Amino acid sequence: MQPVSALTIVAFALPAGMATNHPARGHWRQALDDAAAQLDPSVWQHVRPLTTTVLPDTALSACHELAWAQAMGWQVVDGQVPLAAWTAHQQGLHCPPEHGWAFIDAVHWQISQGQVNLTVPTPISLDESDALRAAMQPFLMQDGIHIHPCLPGRWLAHASVFKHWPSVSLDRVNGQRIDQWLQPSSVATQTEGERLLRRLQNEMQMLFYTHAVNDARAVALNSIWFSGTGELPLSVQPTSQTRVVLHQGLREAWLSQNPEVFVPAFAAVLQDTVAPALAQHQQVLLCNPTQSVLLQTQPHSWLQAVKAWLHPVKLSDLVS
């Protein structure tokens, strides 16, 4: 697939409450339309949905990640979108050819009645992040995992265990139950790499449990998550040449599952990012982790123009 000439990808733009079977779907449809109503109504009259994608529940990668890699012209498979390798490339980091890159994120696991829920309790300060990295480093080095700073609470790591290993995106599990993603209890069913990473996860849980970083935190950082694995293609094209924009600023508002939080943030993105892209006849992909809708402005026939005047287009209709 060749890189798309102009594509704006907006992650976390489709609320989970828009799902067909969601009990508050009507409320969320109205919330989406309230956000869109803050723009000139004519913005939506020529916009049409081109394609809709729904990933299976078993998908490892998030919709916006797969779309971004495909728009870059990369052939990728589920669970191996090379986000960590791309970030390392951008930072000028290198690793041996037998190694692969991954993200390691500090997260919170809440375990109740046999269910495990994962969240990323923000904010995480740089001092907290550096302290946890220093504590983890000796354990990781014993298993040949080299770790580098990335963002507060997120580190870049390279090791042979990450080479060709499919991982579950943090954006697929953040704010969700993760029972289905945890490896089976039977060690015999796990690969050597899975056993190693599961052991490290357990060790980091014990390490974090008593770490001083958590003494002053309202929500503890009590586990880690590995993600972002995958190999970069031999020829890596800069994003500035592919004209792909990936907007991820709605993550926290989307995770809130609260229309009063989501609508103002979404309205700002519509105003600053989506509307200008549509006005330039660019394609806009609105996503949540498992669904996406591709929008683009298209010319109207006179009959379509009359219909649009009689029945103005609503954003909720375009993305439903």
Side-chain angles (χ1 to χ4, degrees):
M1 177 178 177
Q2 294 300 313
V4 176
S5 58
L7 174 66
T8 297
I9 302 170
V10 184
F12 308 102
L14 301 178
M18 288 289 291
T20 303
N21 59 350
H22 196 282
R25 184 170 188 260
H27 185 52
W28 274 102
R29 283 177 60 92
Q30 186 60 52
L32 221 63
D33 291 334
D34 288 345
Q38 299 180 39
L39 299 178
D40 184 337
S42 64
V43 169
W44 307 109
Q45 299 313 306
H46 294 277
V47 176
R48 291 292 176 268
L50 301 182
T51 59
T52 300
T53 300
V54 180
L55 298 181
D57 292 339
T58 55
L60 306 179
S61 299
C63 256
H64 63 274
E65 296 169 345
L66 289 167
W68 172 78
Q70 290 165 1
M72 294 285 282
W74 300 347
Q75 299 296 323
V76 297
V77 296
D78 186 33
Q80 296 190 56
V81 178
L83 296 170
W86 171 254
T87 303
H89 171 76
Q90 294 290 89
Q91 294 188 9
L93 298 175
H94 303 278
C95 70
E98 66 273 16
H99 283 198
W101 286 99
F103 290 130
I104 302 178
D105 284 272
V107 299
H108 175 78
W109 285 16
Q110 181 177 357
I111 303 174
S112 176
Q113 298 180 343
Q115 297 181 6
V116 184
N117 286 75
L118 182 150
T119 57
V120 179
T122 56
I124 300 172
S125 72
L126 182 59
D127 286 344
E128 290 174 330
S129 186
D130 287 344
L132 291 177
R133 178 170 61 91
M136 289 191 298
Q137 196 154 13
F139 294 88
L140 298 175
M141 285 297 294
Q142 289 178 5
D143 290 300
I145 298 176
H146 303 259
I147 189 170
H148 302 268
C150 181
L151 297 169
R154 164 168 282 190
W155 305 277
L156 280 165
H158 66 83
S160 58
V161 69
F162 299 130
K163 188 84 169 180
H164 307 306
W165 179 63
S167 58
V168 182
S169 166
L170 184 63
D171 283 334
R172 284 287 286 117
V173 297
N174 192 5
Q176 309 291 326
R177 283 183 58 179
I178 60 171
D179 309 49
Q180 67 168 328
W181 303 115
L182 299 179
Q183 299 299 333
S185 57
S186 172
V187 175
T189 64
Q190 300 176 11
T191 66
E192 183 179 350
E194 288 169 345
R195 287 194 294 271
L196 185 154
L197 295 176
R198 190 72 180 98
R199 172 177 58 76
L200 276 174
Q201 208 168 38
N202 289 334
E203 290 177 354
M204 295 307 100
Q205 287 168 354
M206 291 185 288
L207 178 67
F208 286 11
Y209 182 73
T210 57
H211 199 283
V213 156
N214 285 314
D215 292 346
R217 289 191 59 88
V219 181
L221 299 167
N222 60 11
S223 190
I224 58 173
W225 194 260
F226 300 100
S227 67
T229 54
E231 299 296 307
L232 282 177
L234 293 178
S235 177
V236 180
Q237 297 295 326
T239 52
S240 60
Q241 294 182 10
T242 59
R243 299 178 63 197
V244 180
V245 175
L246 175 58
H247 188 289
Q248 301 185 73
L250 287 171
R251 181 181 283 105
E252 295 302 319
W254 186 87
L255 286 168
S256 75
Q257 301 187 43
N258 182 348
E260 293 182 1
V261 175
F262 181 79
V263 167
F266 185 54
V269 173
L270 290 179
Q271 179 73 49
D272 299 337
T273 303
V274 174
L278 291 172
Q280 296 174 28
H281 302 284
Q282 296 179 12
Q283 294 183 346
V284 173
L285 189 73
L286 302 181
C287 306
N288 66 27
T290 58
Q291 293 179 282
S292 66
V293 178
L294 184 64
L295 304 177
Q296 188 173 28
T297 55
Q298 294 183 338
H300 271 183
S301 67
W302 70 268
L303 181 58
Q304 289 172 323
V306 170
K307 288 181 177 179
W309 180 75
L310 293 173
H311 303 285
V313 176
K314 294 183 177 181
L315 179 59
S316 61
D317 294 327
L318 294 174
V319 301
S320 295

